[in-house]
Amino acid sequence: MTAPRVIARDRRDTLGEGPLWSARDQAVYWVDILGRRLNRVRLSDERVDSWEMPETIGWVIERAAAPGFIAGLGRRFVALSLDPLSITPLAAPEDDREGNRFNDAAADATGRIWAGSMPLTCDRPTGAFYRFDTDGVAARVDDDYTIANGPAIAPGGDWMCHTDTALGTIYRYRIASDGTLTDRSTFIVFEDGWGSPDGMTFDADGGLWVACWGGSCVRRFAPDGTFDRLITLPASQITSCTFAGADLDRMFVTSAADGVDEPAGGALFEVDPGCRGLPTQNYRG
């Protein structure tokens, strides 16, 4: 396995997050939440472009039927277009939770978005978990998160993983056809020395790849939750990961420079996962 490679050596994110492979643009998008910036790297020439945002931006999900994205901007779901920048509010399910922000999200095969929120202070359970349906309605499906993170949809789409980073615990939910979540169970509890579970993604074999905040690595867990693989990285605050490329066999990993003094802290990395990922799902509303 080759060593991790830094993408855009002159670029560092305060809180890099939410990497997203766009087959349409042949590019990886990712956000700097605290830097209030959306970034894009084209795989053809590794050119990096960035767009400044008026608020914290937790994630972007591509739209299937139209150019642009759905984004978690501050505490709102918004429609986001680039060049020129255009932002249209869609839903504000957290108007009653001042001091929160969106943090991480994923789309499922039906085109719905699953997104978590958290307090800016990272110190109290005021965050929640939402489903954003294709009709533009946001529903709160779980509550009392301190640092909601990493929704990841398993192959087949019948269950997902979600985590509260503050608790070091990854939960598993069954997804009913109507979007109801049932059978919440504890799937993985992080051991001492592993760091804390952050962003996640599944590979095509059902393995769960978890970015380890404070752990300087990405860990893979087998479908039964057994830890079975490790990729170490030259930065401690590892935040999320995604599969990319024509064959979905390249992995890009985000990190944060916030609170650390490291040469590679906040870098975007490419690593060799030795397997393939799942196709990116888009919002179908």
Side-chain angles (χ1 to χ4, degrees):
M1 188 172 292
T2 58
R5 186 170 66 93
V6 175
I7 306 298
R9 291 187 173 274
D10 60 345
R11 178 64 56 89
R12 293 293 183 271
D13 297 311
T14 305
L15 181 54
E17 257 284 9
L20 176 81
W21 164 241
S22 168
R24 180 166 58 198
D25 295 343
Q26 292 292 294
V28 173
Y29 288 86
W30 78 102
V31 301
D32 183 346
I33 296 177
L34 298 182
R36 300 185 175 188
R37 186 173 64 231
L38 173 63
N39 305 304
R40 178 185 66 197
V41 59
R42 300 188 309 202
L43 296 197
S44 60
D45 56 7
E46 296 193 357
R47 169 180 162 173
V48 177
D49 297 292
S50 296
W51 295 264
E52 301 300 319
M53 297 291 148
E55 300 179 72
T56 58
I57 179 167
W59 47 268
V60 294
I61 302 290
E62 278 191 302
R63 305 188 76 168
F69 306 87
I70 303 299
L73 198 67
R75 291 177 286 157
R76 297 171 296 159
F77 291 93
V78 304
L80 175 67
S81 298
L82 306 175
D83 299 327
L85 181 66
S86 173
I87 298 169
T88 304
L90 298 176
E94 296 224 320
D95 274 350
D96 59 337
R97 298 192 179 195
E98 186 175 355
N100 274 11
R101 64 167 176 82
F102 275 119
N103 190 55
D104 208 350
D108 65 21
T110 72
R112 300 173 296 216
I113 293 174
W114 303 86
S117 67
M118 60 175 285
L120 287 161
T121 52
C122 308
D123 62 356
R124 59 186 188 275
T126 60
F129 194 30
Y130 295 91
R131 186 188 67 242
F132 187 60
D133 291 322
T134 56
D135 60 1
V137 174
R140 190 174 295 164
V141 295
D142 203 2
D143 214 341
D144 301 324
Y145 284 85
T146 299
I147 305 176
N149 236 320
I153 315 298
D158 57 346
W159 58 276
M160 72 161 64
C161 287
H162 195 227
T163 185
D164 191 331
T165 298
L167 299 180
T169 302
I170 298 173
Y171 301 102
R172 184 164 63 175
Y173 303 78
R174 185 162 298 281
I175 309 171
S177 59
D178 64 356
T180 302
L181 297 184
T182 61
D183 300 333
R184 169 173 157 162
S185 62
T186 296
F187 184 47
I188 298 167
V189 177
F190 263 42
E191 299 180 5
D192 291 343
W194 283 9
S196 300
D198 207 307
M200 303 180 286
T201 192
F202 278 97
D203 62 33
D205 298 318
L208 180 65
W209 292 80
V210 184
C212 299
W213 177 271
S216 303
C217 65
V218 177
R219 293 178 180 270
R220 182 188 188 269
F221 296 86
D224 65 356
T226 304
F227 165 60
D228 72 355
R229 199 178 310 171
L230 174 78
I231 297 177
T232 58
L233 291 147
S236 60
Q237 314 290 45
I238 306 305
T239 57
S240 195
C241 53
T242 193
F243 288 91
D247 295 323
L248 295 171
D249 59 353
R250 302 170 67 177
M251 179 177 280
F252 290 81
V253 181
T254 51
S255 69
D258 189 37
V260 295
D261 183 12
E262 303 168 342
L268 176 70
F269 301 98
E270 182 179 1
V271 301
D272 177 9
C275 61
R276 295 187 179 187
L278 298 167
T280 303
Q281 300 295 338
N282 298 333
Y283 179 65
R284 297 187 187 177

